Amino acid sequence: DIPCGRPIHAHQALEGGQVVVHDLACVIQALDNAAPTFDPRNLTYWACKSPNERVRWSRMVRGGVEVERFKQMFHSCPAGLTTAQRRLYRARIMALGGPGNGLWMNSIPDSPATTLRNAELYQRLRSRLGLEFSGINLVPGKCYCHHQSVIDRHGVHLETCTMGGGLIARHNYTASVLRQAITSTGKFSTKEAYIFDNTNKRTDLAVEHGGPDGVTAAVDVTITHPLVPSHVAAADHIIGSETHLAEVTKHADYDPIRGPNTEVVPFALGTLGRFGREAYNFLFFLAKEQQQLDHTPISSFMATWLTRIGMAVQRMTAKAALNRAGVLRHGTRGGGQDVHSQVLVGSGGG
C-alpha cells in the first residue's frame, strides 16, 4: 500500500500507472530525508534499539513520508496545466488530508452499509485521483438543471447538481448514520428538531447533553465539494477550506438565534473524505462518552464511526453522480432511477 492508503492495483485498474511511479518516488525521497544513514538490511541497527526507539523511528519515517509526499504533490503539478487547472489540482490534494480521510477505503464489505458497488468504487477512486468521470463523452455538454450548468469532464457538477434528489438522499442517509453513532453512546437525539426560539429553522439532530457542559447540541450535517469555485479559491490559504467555510456559514446562520443552553455543531464533511474540525471534535466527544459507558477504547470508536460516516458520504455521492449521468445520457429530465451499470464505459460495468 502507498502511504495515502490507496492500493497499487487500484491505480493500475484506473489506468494511472504514472501516479504509482510518482507516489513511490515520493516515498523513496521521504525515506532519504527522514533517515539518510539508515540501511534496512543492516540487522545490527535494530538489535541495539529498544522497542520504544523503534516505534519512535517508525513514526518519524511515516511522518516524513506523509509530509514529503504532500509537499511534492502540492508543489509539483503535472506539466502543461493552465493556472485554473493548477488551482484545481492543488485544491484536490488539500482535500485529501485531515484525520479520518480515506478510512472508508479500508472498510471491510461485510454489510450493505460498508459495501460499494464496482461502479461506485470506480467513480470515487477516479474522483480522488483527479481522473475524468467515466463515460463523460456519453453525457450532454449541459445539464437540465435551472442553472444550465456546463458538465465538466471530472464530474464535479454531476456530484453537486441539486436535481434528481441525490444530494438530499445523501444528506439524510449520512445524518442517520451519525444518529446511530450518537445512540450507541446512550444519548437521546431528536431528528429535525425546532429548538431555536421564535424561528422556523430546524437542526438535523438535537442531542441532549451533547456537549461537555451538558448543553443541547444542535448538530447540522452539511456536505460540501472541495472543487467548487469558492472552495478552490480559498484552498491556497485555508487548509480544509470546504469544511471550514461550511462551519463558518452554519455558525453565522444559527449562532444569533441559539439559546444559552444550546451549542451549534456544524457537522461538515467533504465529498473527497475530509472531516471538518468540529465534526471530528464532536465524534471525539462521543468516543469519550462511550469509553465511560462501557470502556470502549476511544481509538476503536473513532475508527468505526469515521469509517462508517465516510463510507456513507462516498457511497451516496457516487450514487447521486452516476444516476445523474445516466439520466442525462438517456435524455430525460426526471431522476431517481438506478443506472449504475449503464454509465461506465467498457465491458462488465466496472
Side-chain angles (χ1 to χ4, degrees), residues 50-349:
S50 68
N52 287 339
E53 288 177 312
R54 296 177 192 177
V55 170
R56 193 180 308 112
W57 189 91
S58 175
R59 289 175 177 171
M60 179 184 68
V61 171
R62 185 173 59 201
V65 168
E66 292 172 353
V67 171
E68 185 66 24
R69 184 176 180 279
F70 173 81
K71 288 180 179 178
Q72 291 201 18
M73 292 193 70
F74 185 80
H75 294 292
S76 303
C77 295
L81 296 185
T82 64
T83 300
Q85 291 171 332
R86 187 178 297 109
R87 296 182 75 181
L88 279 172
Y89 174 89
R90 290 181 172 178
R92 181 178 60 83
I93 296 299
M94 293 285 281
L96 297 178
N101 194 328
L103 283 179
W104 63 272
M105 288 185 286
N106 299 326
S107 179
I108 299 175
D110 56 358
S111 70
T114 58
T115 301
L116 290 172
R117 292 184 177 188
N118 286 345
E120 293 167 346
L121 177 61
Y122 194 85
Q123 194 273 328
R124 294 319 297 149
L125 289 176
R126 293 187 74 92
S127 184
R128 285 181 70 88
L129 294 173
L131 303 179
E132 288 187 359
F133 192 93
S134 181
I136 195 67
N137 292 330
L138 304 178
V139 178
K142 285 190 176 182
C143 185
Y144 296 140
C145 62
H146 64 280
H147 293 297
Q148 292 288 297
S149 300
V150 174
I151 300 177
D152 58 287
R153 303 195 64 79
H154 291 85
V156 174
H157 177 74
L158 296 176
E159 296 177 7
T160 57
C161 183
T162 56
M163 288 193 69
L167 301 191
I168 296 176
R170 180 183 66 182
H171 171 274
N172 293 342
Y173 180 69
T174 304
S176 71
V177 175
L178 174 58
R179 194 183 188 201
Q180 294 173 23
I182 295 169
T183 303
S184 71
T185 66
K187 293 188 177 297
F188 180 76
S189 62
T190 304
K191 295 191 300 182
E192 300 292 335
Y194 293 92
I195 62 173
F196 302 106
D197 295 335
N198 302 319
T199 179
N200 62 354
K201 286 190 175 182
R202 299 176 294 179
T203 184
D204 291 325
L205 297 168
V207 185
E208 295 184 6
H209 304 289
D213 299 323
V215 299
T216 297
V219 183
D220 210 66
V221 175
T222 178
I223 304 171
T224 65
H225 201 297
L227 300 186
V228 298
S230 59
H231 297 153
V232 170
D236 282 340
H237 57 277
I238 300 177
I239 296 177
S241 61
E242 71 274 27
T243 53
H244 172 76
L245 295 178
E247 291 172 348
V248 170
T249 301
K250 288 294 182 183
H251 278 298
D253 289 342
Y254 290 117
D255 280 353
I257 59 175
R258 70 179 178 90
N261 296 319
T262 302
E263 177 186 4
V264 177
V265 180
F267 202 88
L269 305 165
T271 55
L272 290 185
R274 179 179 289 279
F275 283 77
R277 178 180 58 85
E278 296 191 50
Y280 187 87
N281 289 345
F282 181 69
L283 286 177
F284 191 78
F285 166 75
L286 293 179
K288 292 190 292 185
E289 296 289 295
Q290 181 74 18
Q291 185 183 50
Q292 295 179 4
L293 184 68
D294 59 9
H295 306 292
T296 298
I298 291 178
S299 59
S300 176
F301 182 94
M302 292 296 289
T304 296
W305 291 107
L306 286 171
T307 299
R308 291 186 184 181
I309 294 171
M311 176 63 77
V313 173
Q314 298 306 313
R315 185 154 65 93
M316 297 305 288
T317 297
K319 187 177 181 66
L322 292 169
N323 279 346
R324 193 75 197 122
V327 168
L328 293 173
R329 175 185 173 185
H330 288 84
T332 61
R333 295 177 181 269
Q337 66 264 41
D338 193 350
V339 292
H340 291 73
S341 61
Q342 301 170 346
V343 175
L344 294 179
V345 295
S347 60

